[in-house]
Every structure is written in C-alpha cells, then in structure tokens.
Amino acid sequence: MSSGDERRPLIVKRKRVQSAKHHGGSWKIAYADFMTALMALFLVLWILSTASPSQLEHIAEYFRTPLAVALTGGDKTTASTSAIPGGGDNPTKVDGEERRVNIREQTRSSDEQRNLRYLRDRLQSVIQSDPQLKELSSQLRMDFSPEGLRVQIVDSDKRPMFELGSDRLEPYMQKILGRIAPVLNEMPNPISISGHTDDIPYVGGEKGYSNWELSADRANASRRELIAAGLAPDKLLRVAGMGSRITLPNTLPSDDVNRRISIVVLDNRAAQAIEQQEKTPLPSSLATPLAGNGGEASGNGGGMTEPNSAG
C-alpha cells in the first residue's frame, strides 16, 4: 500500500433518524380551559345544592335583573325598550307597546320590592331562631301575591290552629301571631287579614251559622291576637271572611290546609286600590233620601241612616 493511500480520509455515513414534528401546546390550553369551566360548573352546582330557598330566590332575581338596571338602581320590569314584552295581539305594533306601559304602571318599585323581601327574610329568621316555631314551619307559607307579601298559616289534621268549628285560637296559633306581630310593625305598609275554611258545611247550612261566619270570626280573632301582641291597630286596612270559596292550588276544598289565615302586607298600589274602592261615591239615584208615608224623609235629619256594622 502506498503512502498516498494511507493519507486518504475515511468517510463514515450515518443514517439520521428524524423524530415526528412537534404539534405545539395549543391543545393543552384548550384542555385546561375545559377543565377549569367544568370545575366551575361543579362548584356552582354544589353551592346551589346547599343554598336556602331565600338565597336561591335572591340569586334568581340577580340574573333576572338587566345590567343597566342594576347599575342605575331602577326597576327591572320597566327597563326594556322592546315592544315584545308588552303583549297585545301583535307585539311589533303599537298595541304591544301600550300594553307594556300599562304593566309598567302596575308593577312595584325596586325599593318596595326590596323592603318586602327584607320583611320576608326577617320573618323567616324569626321562625328559624325559635325552636317551637321551627317545628311549625311546615304550616307557615310565605310568598309574593299581586297584593304584596302573603303569610299564610295553614291547618293540619294533627295540629289545628283553631278549635274545631270555633274561632278559639290554639296555643300554636297564639305563639305564631305573637312572634310575627312585632316584625310586621317594622314596615309602614298596611295589612289585610282574611280567614278561609274548608267546604264541610254546618248542619244548619247557609241559612244559619256557616263557614262564612266562621272564617270572618277567625280572621277577627287573629286580628285581636296580633294587636294584643303589639301590632299597631292603624296598620289594619281590611279584615274579611272568605268562607271556602278560595282554595289553595292543587288541593281539594275539604283538605285541612284550606283552613287557614292569610295575612298580606299590602304594597302601595294594592292599599290605594282598596281605599279608592271604599271611597267611590254612590250614584245620585241611590243617595236620594227615602221618603216617608207623609212625604217627609225618614231618618235622622231627613237623611238615609245605615245600620251599624259589627266591626
């Protein structure tokens, strides 16, 4: 072998193994976002499962309130400028907008809604803080009616609020009325009390003492107990007996829960409607004094006298 061949370099060829190209980390970001959203969903579901009914209603009210209304403190029912919520035969026409304006006039202000919700929460806290009242919570029902905040004290077969066929209050009923009377004084709103019975008739029927009288007597007995417990008498605007005419939803007229007392903390609109209804003057034909046999008007001073009511 010559010296020139010994100086020749050796060339080694190695096959390069190329790995697969990297796809980047974008999928990791998407996966992380998905897991975060899923964890947030489970967290919200867990919070909702442990929340009380009043807290759930507050949460629902928050999401029902538009952002613009929440920032300005306005009434959520009057915030929409669309004609669609107005109703009417054709929501896109003027009739729908007029209907929306009428509903706006009939809704409560945000301050009044807040005050009624506060009163409901106060009543619930009073009930939950008293062990005896807490046992009666199944017979206490609170909701918002078109007239205001309604507190209903219902009867049960095992624990009646009144003696059978009587307006005499049981100790349970006295306890409830005695505790809620001071709370009702915290609001300036007037109060309406109505009594309700089941449809089981008396032996004498409608001609004698009936469920009409019983419901009115029980409403008045509740009124007396509330006043004795400290309720301001001038807060009472109406006391009525409804007999068995109005039953609770999804119940039979003979069910125990239809024997109940309904106490409504009236909003301003409902109170004004009741007062205006009673102040409506009689037609001129009915206001004419009655004439006697001798052509003279009978009664004191020639005017028409009215019998005294029973309170």
Side-chain angles (χ1 to χ4, degrees):
M1 181 179 293
S2 63
S3 60
D5 295 335
E6 292 178 355
R7 298 189 188 95
R8 182 180 300 174
L10 296 177
I11 300 174
V12 179
K13 294 182 178 181
R14 292 187 177 90
K15 187 177 181 181
R16 181 178 298 178
V17 180
Q18 295 181 353
S19 59
K21 293 183 179 180
H22 195 271
H23 294 284
S26 59
W27 69 272
K28 298 179 181 180
I29 299 175
Y31 182 73
D33 291 341
F34 171 74
M35 294 302 297
T36 303
L38 195 61
M39 182 180 65
L41 173 63
F42 288 139
L43 183 61
V44 170
L45 293 177
W46 174 74
I47 293 175
L48 292 178
S49 65
T50 58
S52 63
S54 61
Q55 292 173 334
L56 291 176
E57 188 166 349
H58 283 301
I59 295 174
E61 184 69 20
Y62 172 81
F63 285 104
R64 283 195 296 262
T65 304
L67 178 60
V69 179
L71 294 177
T72 58
D75 185 3
K76 71 179 183 63
T77 57
T78 63
S80 176
T81 58
S82 172
I84 294 179
D89 297 334
N90 190 343
T92 64
K93 301 298 181 181
V94 178
D95 293 340
E97 183 66 16
E98 291 177 351
R99 175 61 177 165
R100 184 180 65 84
V101 173
N102 293 336
I103 293 178
R104 177 185 303 176
E105 295 174 353
Q106 297 176 2
T107 54
R108 302 185 187 104
S109 64
S110 58
D111 291 339
E112 195 169 24
Q113 291 180 6
R114 189 181 306 109
N115 292 336
L116 290 177
R117 286 196 297 266
Y118 167 78
L119 180 60
R120 178 203 56 190
D121 296 340
R122 283 280 294 120
L123 290 172
Q124 288 178 344
S125 64
V126 168
I127 294 169
Q128 295 298 323
S129 61
D130 192 313
Q132 294 181 356
L133 288 183
K134 193 173 182 179
E135 294 179 359
L136 302 172
S137 58
S138 61
Q139 294 178 244
L140 287 169
R141 304 184 180 185
M142 281 182 283
D143 61 350
F144 291 101
S145 71
E147 292 185 326
L149 175 62
R150 179 173 55 186
V151 181
Q152 298 193 94
I153 308 172
V154 302
D155 227 347
S156 72
D157 186 30
K158 297 181 179 179
R159 192 159 45 199
M161 296 292 106
F162 292 89
E163 293 184 2
L164 182 63
S166 170
D167 63 345
R168 188 182 298 275
L169 280 70
E170 294 284 359
Y172 311 106
M173 187 68 166
Q174 294 176 341
K175 177 73 173 178
I176 294 174
L177 296 177
R179 291 302 305 272
I180 69 174
V183 183
L184 296 177
N185 270 336
E186 298 177 4
M187 296 286 291
N189 301 54
I191 293 173
S192 170
I193 303 176
S194 59
H196 302 264
T197 65
D198 54 30
D199 67 343
I200 300 176
Y202 278 78
V203 177
E206 296 292 332
K207 295 181 180 180
Y209 190 88
S210 65
N211 286 326
W212 289 104
E213 287 81 7
L214 179 62
S215 61
D217 291 344
R218 288 181 171 179
N220 266 306
S222 302
R223 174 190 61 83
R224 291 190 295 268
E225 188 65 28
L226 285 171
I227 293 177
L231 180 68
D234 57 354
K235 290 179 65 67
L236 290 161
L237 183 60
R238 179 177 60 187
V239 179
M242 306 300 295
S244 59
R245 294 300 301 271
I246 302 177
T247 59
L248 292 176
N250 303 321
T251 62
L252 298 175
S254 59
D255 288 348
D256 301 327
V257 293
N258 285 316
R259 301 192 298 267
R260 67 194 190 277
I261 292 295
S262 179
I263 303 172
V264 180
V265 180
L266 301 169
D267 59 19
N268 294 330
R269 181 178 55 84
Q272 292 175 2
I274 295 174
E275 294 176 353
Q276 187 65 32
Q277 181 181 7
E278 297 302 326
K279 292 179 181 179
T280 303
L282 291 174
S284 58
S285 59
L286 296 179
T288 304
L290 296 177
N293 294 332
E296 297 181 358
S298 63
N300 187 13
M304 182 177 179
T305 59
E306 296 182 358
N308 294 330
S309 62

